[in-house]
Amino acid sequence: MTQQVPSTEPELAGVRNFRDVGGLPTVDGRRVRQGVLFRSGHLAHATGEDAAFLATLGLHTVFDFRNAADQKLEGPDIELPGVRNVNLPLSDPADGAEFWKMVRDGDLDQLRAILADGKGADRMIASYRMIIKDRTAEHSRVLHALAEDSVPALMHCAAGKDRAGLSIAVTLLALGVERDAIVEDYLKSNAKHRRYKVHRSSSHASAYSPEVMELLSPLFDARAEYLTAAFDTIEETWGGVDPYLEKGLKLSPQSRERLRERLLD
């Protein structure tokens, strides 16, 4: 039997952005069950105390959406006894490699060139749209795994905001969670104690100046417009959530019902 997570969110020393998405309401009056679906940033820097807490959750599967470049930068996840680790990269290591190198190493003029005047936010919106359109096989695999046996589950990427945020959102859409509740949960990643720690190559104060941080903010914010772009892509490409799930993700009505039975009260 899965241990219920305390109502107060645990402060994990080496894992950012951890939370249980239990309690979110569905359009038909049900709620996501507590203790079956979690989200977080990567587990590579989890402390012994963090690992001890995670071990109490009764996890079946950890879904890691990082690519090889992320794992090289941060390290592999810690191993939790008896827990299956599934790596499903939702972005290509080569995709934007030069861009992210500039984010880490670029000077102010270079950052202005790639991020100013809305270019940073535009890039994030394009990324969200691409993941929805091009990563249907990965999202399908996650939903089928959850429907069959892979709960309780923890989904994470690097920051637990974008790739994990989209995978959580897709799962919640399949469960029939209210759209506003999905957005509200997504925006919780903006809380100061949850935010990804920005890493730049230089330790000089100018590397983290107010203007630099302002330029970088679109990349590290959770913004409703990003998730709205993902929802719009579902509507534009498939005509709605139901055909997206059935045609895009190959999730049959029977599998969707099994998913709901496993994850909803």
Side-chain angles (χ1 to χ4, degrees), residues 54-95:
L54 294 169
T56 71
L57 303 179
L59 293 172
H60 181 288
T61 301
V62 171
F63 292 100
D64 179 358
F65 302 118
R66 295 179 300 159
N67 61 43
D70 297 317
Q71 294 193 354
K72 183 177 179 182
L73 182 67
E74 296 145 357
D77 280 347
I78 59 162
E79 291 195 12
L80 299 169
V83 179
R84 182 176 66 152
N85 285 74
V86 176
N87 180 226
L88 287 175
L90 289 181
S91 56
D92 187 331
D95 180 40

Short mmCIF file of all heavy atoms in Angstrom, two decimals, residues 54-95:
data_model
loop_
_atom_site.label_atom_id
_atom_site.label_comp_id
_atom_site.label_asym_id
_atom_site.label_seq_id
_atom_site.Cartn_x
_atom_site.Cartn_y
_atom_site.Cartn_z
N LEU A 54 12.04 9.90 -0.77
CA LEU A 54 11.50 9.37 -2.02
C LEU A 54 11.20 7.87 -1.90
O LEU A 54 10.24 7.37 -2.50
CB LEU A 54 12.48 9.62 -3.16
CG LEU A 54 12.69 11.10 -3.54
CD1 LEU A 54 13.87 11.24 -4.50
CD2 LEU A 54 11.43 11.70 -4.15
N ALA A 55 11.99 7.17 -1.09
CA ALA A 55 11.77 5.74 -0.89
C ALA A 55 10.46 5.46 -0.17
O ALA A 55 9.93 4.35 -0.26
CB ALA A 55 12.95 5.12 -0.14
N THR A 56 9.94 6.44 0.56
CA THR A 56 8.67 6.23 1.27
C THR A 56 7.45 6.34 0.36
O THR A 56 6.34 6.03 0.78
CB THR A 56 8.49 7.25 2.42
OG1 THR A 56 8.24 8.56 1.88
CG2 THR A 56 9.69 7.28 3.34
N LEU A 57 7.66 6.79 -0.87
CA LEU A 57 6.52 7.05 -1.75
C LEU A 57 5.98 5.80 -2.44
O LEU A 57 4.91 5.84 -3.04
CB LEU A 57 6.91 8.08 -2.83
CG LEU A 57 7.42 9.43 -2.34
CD1 LEU A 57 7.78 10.31 -3.53
CD2 LEU A 57 6.40 10.11 -1.44
N GLY A 58 6.72 4.70 -2.35
CA GLY A 58 6.27 3.48 -3.00
C GLY A 58 6.29 3.57 -4.51
O GLY A 58 5.47 2.95 -5.20
N LEU A 59 7.25 4.33 -5.06
CA LEU A 59 7.28 4.56 -6.50
C LEU A 59 7.47 3.25 -7.28
O LEU A 59 8.27 2.40 -6.91
CB LEU A 59 8.40 5.52 -6.86
CG LEU A 59 8.26 6.96 -6.37
CD1 LEU A 59 9.56 7.73 -6.64
CD2 LEU A 59 7.07 7.66 -7.03
N HIS A 60 6.75 3.14 -8.37
CA HIS A 60 6.96 2.05 -9.31
C HIS A 60 7.95 2.46 -10.39
O HIS A 60 8.88 1.72 -10.72
CB HIS A 60 5.63 1.65 -9.96
CG HIS A 60 5.73 0.51 -10.93
ND1 HIS A 60 6.31 0.62 -12.18
CD2 HIS A 60 5.32 -0.80 -10.84
CE1 HIS A 60 6.25 -0.54 -12.81
NE2 HIS A 60 5.66 -1.42 -12.03
N THR A 61 7.76 3.70 -10.94
CA THR A 61 8.55 4.15 -12.08
C THR A 61 8.91 5.62 -11.95
O THR A 61 8.09 6.43 -11.51
CB THR A 61 7.77 3.96 -13.40
OG1 THR A 61 7.45 2.57 -13.56
CG2 THR A 61 8.58 4.42 -14.61
N VAL A 62 10.15 5.93 -12.31
CA VAL A 62 10.58 7.32 -12.49
C VAL A 62 10.78 7.54 -13.98
O VAL A 62 11.57 6.83 -14.62
CB VAL A 62 11.90 7.61 -11.73
CG1 VAL A 62 12.45 8.99 -12.12
CG2 VAL A 62 11.67 7.55 -10.22
N PHE A 63 10.03 8.49 -14.54
CA PHE A 63 10.20 8.88 -15.95
C PHE A 63 11.12 10.09 -16.01
O PHE A 63 10.81 11.14 -15.45
CB PHE A 63 8.84 9.24 -16.57
CG PHE A 63 7.90 8.08 -16.71
CD1 PHE A 63 6.88 7.89 -15.79
CD2 PHE A 63 8.03 7.19 -17.76
CE1 PHE A 63 5.99 6.83 -15.92
CE2 PHE A 63 7.14 6.12 -17.91
CZ PHE A 63 6.12 5.94 -16.98
N ASP A 64 12.25 9.93 -16.68
CA ASP A 64 13.26 10.98 -16.82
C ASP A 64 13.24 11.45 -18.28
O ASP A 64 13.58 10.70 -19.18
CB ASP A 64 14.63 10.41 -16.45
CG ASP A 64 15.77 11.41 -16.58
OD1 ASP A 64 15.53 12.56 -16.99
OD2 ASP A 64 16.91 11.03 -16.25
N PHE A 65 12.82 12.71 -18.50
CA PHE A 65 12.68 13.23 -19.85
C PHE A 65 13.90 14.01 -20.33
O PHE A 65 13.86 14.68 -21.35
CB PHE A 65 11.43 14.11 -19.93
CG PHE A 65 10.16 13.39 -19.56
CD1 PHE A 65 9.40 13.80 -18.47
CD2 PHE A 65 9.75 12.28 -20.28
CE1 PHE A 65 8.24 13.13 -18.12
CE2 PHE A 65 8.59 11.60 -19.93
CZ PHE A 65 7.84 12.02 -18.84
N ARG A 66 15.01 13.91 -19.59
CA ARG A 66 16.23 14.61 -19.99
C ARG A 66 16.90 13.89 -21.15
O ARG A 66 16.75 12.69 -21.33
CB ARG A 66 17.21 14.68 -18.81
CG ARG A 66 16.71 15.51 -17.64
CD ARG A 66 17.73 15.50 -16.51
NE ARG A 66 17.99 14.14 -16.02
CZ ARG A 66 19.08 13.78 -15.35
NH1 ARG A 66 20.02 14.68 -15.08
NH2 ARG A 66 19.23 12.54 -14.92
N ASN A 67 17.66 14.65 -21.92
CA ASN A 67 18.45 14.03 -22.98
C ASN A 67 19.89 13.77 -22.48
O ASN A 67 20.22 14.06 -21.33
CB ASN A 67 18.44 14.90 -24.24
CG ASN A 67 19.02 16.29 -24.02
OD1 ASN A 67 20.04 16.44 -23.37
ND2 ASN A 67 18.38 17.30 -24.58
N ALA A 68 20.72 13.22 -23.37
CA ALA A 68 22.08 12.84 -22.98
C ALA A 68 22.90 14.05 -22.54
O ALA A 68 23.73 13.95 -21.63
CB ALA A 68 22.76 12.11 -24.13
N ALA A 69 22.69 15.20 -23.18
CA ALA A 69 23.43 16.40 -22.80
C ALA A 69 23.07 16.85 -21.39
O ALA A 69 23.92 17.26 -20.61
CB ALA A 69 23.17 17.52 -23.80
N ASP A 70 21.77 16.77 -21.05
CA ASP A 70 21.33 17.10 -19.69
C ASP A 70 22.00 16.19 -18.67
O ASP A 70 22.49 16.62 -17.63
CB ASP A 70 19.81 16.94 -19.54
CG ASP A 70 19.01 17.86 -20.42
OD1 ASP A 70 19.38 19.04 -20.51
OD2 ASP A 70 18.01 17.40 -20.99
N GLN A 71 21.99 14.90 -18.99
CA GLN A 71 22.54 13.94 -18.04
C GLN A 71 24.04 14.11 -17.88
O GLN A 71 24.58 13.93 -16.79
CB GLN A 71 22.20 12.52 -18.49
CG GLN A 71 20.70 12.24 -18.43
CD GLN A 71 20.37 10.77 -18.56
OE1 GLN A 71 21.23 9.94 -18.82
NE2 GLN A 71 19.10 10.44 -18.41
N LYS A 72 24.72 14.51 -18.96
CA LYS A 72 26.15 14.77 -18.86
C LYS A 72 26.41 15.99 -17.97
O LYS A 72 27.36 16.02 -17.17
CB LYS A 72 26.74 14.99 -20.25
CG LYS A 72 28.25 15.20 -20.25
CD LYS A 72 28.79 15.35 -21.67
CE LYS A 72 30.29 15.56 -21.66
NZ LYS A 72 30.81 15.75 -23.03
N LEU A 73 25.55 16.99 -18.09
CA LEU A 73 25.71 18.22 -17.32
C LEU A 73 25.41 18.01 -15.84
O LEU A 73 26.14 18.50 -14.97
CB LEU A 73 24.79 19.30 -17.90
CG LEU A 73 24.86 20.69 -17.25
CD1 LEU A 73 26.21 21.36 -17.51
CD2 LEU A 73 23.73 21.58 -17.79
N GLU A 74 24.34 17.30 -15.55
CA GLU A 74 23.86 17.18 -14.18
C GLU A 74 24.20 15.86 -13.51
O GLU A 74 24.26 15.76 -12.29
CB GLU A 74 22.33 17.35 -14.15
CG GLU A 74 21.89 18.73 -14.61
CD GLU A 74 20.58 18.71 -15.38
OE1 GLU A 74 20.04 17.61 -15.63
OE2 GLU A 74 20.12 19.80 -15.77
N GLY A 75 24.40 14.82 -14.32
CA GLY A 75 24.65 13.49 -13.79
C GLY A 75 23.40 12.63 -13.88
O GLY A 75 22.30 13.13 -14.10
N PRO A 76 23.56 11.32 -13.72
CA PRO A 76 22.42 10.42 -13.75
C PRO A 76 21.59 10.54 -12.47
O PRO A 76 22.09 11.00 -11.44
CB PRO A 76 23.06 9.04 -13.85
CG PRO A 76 24.38 9.21 -13.16
CD PRO A 76 24.83 10.61 -13.47
N ASP A 77 20.34 10.14 -12.56
CA ASP A 77 19.51 10.09 -11.35
C ASP A 77 20.12 9.13 -10.33
O ASP A 77 20.75 8.13 -10.71
CB ASP A 77 18.11 9.58 -11.69
CG ASP A 77 17.22 10.65 -12.28
OD1 ASP A 77 17.58 11.84 -12.20
OD2 ASP A 77 16.15 10.30 -12.80
N ILE A 78 19.89 9.40 -9.06
CA ILE A 78 20.21 8.41 -8.05
C ILE A 78 19.31 7.20 -8.28
O ILE A 78 18.22 7.31 -8.85
CB ILE A 78 19.98 8.96 -6.63
CG1 ILE A 78 18.53 9.40 -6.45
CG2 ILE A 78 20.94 10.08 -6.31
CD1 ILE A 78 18.11 9.53 -5.00
N GLU A 79 19.77 6.06 -7.85
CA GLU A 79 18.95 4.85 -7.97
C GLU A 79 18.18 4.64 -6.69
O GLU A 79 18.74 4.69 -5.59
CB GLU A 79 19.83 3.65 -8.29
CG GLU A 79 20.44 3.70 -9.68
CD GLU A 79 21.00 2.36 -10.11
OE1 GLU A 79 20.73 1.35 -9.44
OE2 GLU A 79 21.73 2.34 -11.12
N LEU A 80 16.90 4.43 -6.82
CA LEU A 80 16.03 4.15 -5.68
C LEU A 80 15.70 2.65 -5.70
O LEU A 80 15.28 2.13 -6.73
CB LEU A 80 14.75 4.97 -5.77
CG LEU A 80 14.94 6.49 -5.76
CD1 LEU A 80 13.64 7.20 -6.12
CD2 LEU A 80 15.44 6.94 -4.39
N PRO A 81 15.90 1.96 -4.59
CA PRO A 81 15.71 0.51 -4.57
C PRO A 81 14.31 0.11 -5.04
O PRO A 81 13.30 0.68 -4.58
CB PRO A 81 15.91 0.14 -3.09
CG PRO A 81 16.75 1.25 -2.54
CD PRO A 81 16.34 2.49 -3.28
N GLY A 82 14.27 -0.83 -5.97
CA GLY A 82 13.00 -1.36 -6.42
C GLY A 82 12.21 -0.48 -7.36
O GLY A 82 11.07 -0.80 -7.71
N VAL A 83 12.81 0.64 -7.78
CA VAL A 83 12.10 1.58 -8.65
C VAL A 83 12.67 1.47 -10.06
O VAL A 83 13.88 1.47 -10.26
CB VAL A 83 12.24 3.02 -8.12
CG1 VAL A 83 11.53 4.00 -9.06
CG2 VAL A 83 11.68 3.14 -6.71
N ARG A 84 11.78 1.40 -11.04
CA ARG A 84 12.19 1.34 -12.44
C ARG A 84 12.46 2.75 -12.96
O ARG A 84 11.65 3.66 -12.77
CB ARG A 84 11.08 0.70 -13.27
CG ARG A 84 11.43 0.55 -14.74
CD ARG A 84 10.33 -0.18 -15.50
NE ARG A 84 9.09 0.59 -15.55
CZ ARG A 84 8.19 0.50 -16.53
NH1 ARG A 84 8.39 -0.35 -17.52
NH2 ARG A 84 7.09 1.22 -16.49
N ASN A 85 13.61 2.95 -13.59
CA ASN A 85 13.94 4.24 -14.21
C ASN A 85 13.77 4.13 -15.72
O ASN A 85 14.38 3.27 -16.35
CB ASN A 85 15.39 4.64 -13.88
CG ASN A 85 15.54 5.12 -12.45
OD1 ASN A 85 15.51 4.32 -11.52
ND2 ASN A 85 15.70 6.41 -12.28
N VAL A 86 12.94 5.00 -16.28
CA VAL A 86 12.68 5.01 -17.71
C VAL A 86 13.13 6.36 -18.27
O VAL A 86 12.61 7.41 -17.86
CB VAL A 86 11.19 4.79 -18.02
CG1 VAL A 86 10.92 4.90 -19.52
CG2 VAL A 86 10.74 3.42 -17.50
N ASN A 87 14.10 6.34 -19.18
CA ASN A 87 14.57 7.57 -19.80
C ASN A 87 13.90 7.74 -21.16
O ASN A 87 14.07 6.91 -22.05
CB ASN A 87 16.09 7.55 -19.94
CG ASN A 87 16.65 8.81 -20.57
OD1 ASN A 87 17.49 8.75 -21.46
ND2 ASN A 87 16.20 9.98 -20.13
N LEU A 88 13.12 8.80 -21.31
CA LEU A 88 12.43 9.12 -22.55
C LEU A 88 12.76 10.56 -22.92
O LEU A 88 12.01 11.47 -22.58
CB LEU A 88 10.92 8.96 -22.39
CG LEU A 88 10.32 7.57 -22.30
CD1 LEU A 88 8.83 7.66 -22.01
CD2 LEU A 88 10.55 6.81 -23.59
N PRO A 89 13.87 10.79 -23.60
CA PRO A 89 14.24 12.17 -23.92
C PRO A 89 13.16 12.85 -24.77
O PRO A 89 12.71 12.30 -25.77
CB PRO A 89 15.54 12.02 -24.71
CG PRO A 89 16.08 10.68 -24.32
CD PRO A 89 14.88 9.83 -24.10
N LEU A 90 12.75 14.03 -24.34
CA LEU A 90 11.76 14.80 -25.09
C LEU A 90 12.40 15.93 -25.88
O LEU A 90 11.70 16.76 -26.45
CB LEU A 90 10.68 15.35 -24.15
CG LEU A 90 9.73 14.32 -23.57
CD1 LEU A 90 8.69 14.98 -22.67
CD2 LEU A 90 9.03 13.51 -24.67
N SER A 91 13.72 15.96 -25.90
CA SER A 91 14.43 16.92 -26.74
C SER A 91 15.74 16.27 -27.17
O SER A 91 16.31 15.45 -26.47
CB SER A 91 14.70 18.23 -25.98
OG SER A 91 15.41 17.98 -24.78
N ASP A 92 16.18 16.65 -28.36
CA ASP A 92 17.40 16.11 -28.94
C ASP A 92 18.61 16.86 -28.39
O ASP A 92 18.59 18.09 -28.33
CB ASP A 92 17.32 16.29 -30.46
CG ASP A 92 18.46 15.62 -31.20
OD1 ASP A 92 19.55 15.49 -30.62
OD2 ASP A 92 18.26 15.24 -32.36
N PRO A 93 19.67 16.15 -27.97
CA PRO A 93 20.85 16.85 -27.45
C PRO A 93 21.41 17.89 -28.41
O PRO A 93 21.95 18.91 -28.00
CB PRO A 93 21.86 15.72 -27.21
CG PRO A 93 21.04 14.51 -27.03
CD PRO A 93 19.82 14.69 -27.89
N ALA A 94 21.28 17.62 -29.71
CA ALA A 94 21.82 18.56 -30.71
C ALA A 94 20.91 19.76 -30.93
O ALA A 94 21.33 20.78 -31.46
CB ALA A 94 22.04 17.85 -32.03
N ASP A 95 19.64 19.62 -30.53
CA ASP A 95 18.68 20.69 -30.77
C ASP A 95 19.00 21.89 -29.88
O ASP A 95 18.88 21.83 -28.67
CB ASP A 95 17.25 20.20 -30.48
CG ASP A 95 16.22 21.28 -30.72
OD1 ASP A 95 16.36 22.02 -31.69
OD2 ASP A 95 15.28 21.39 -29.91
#
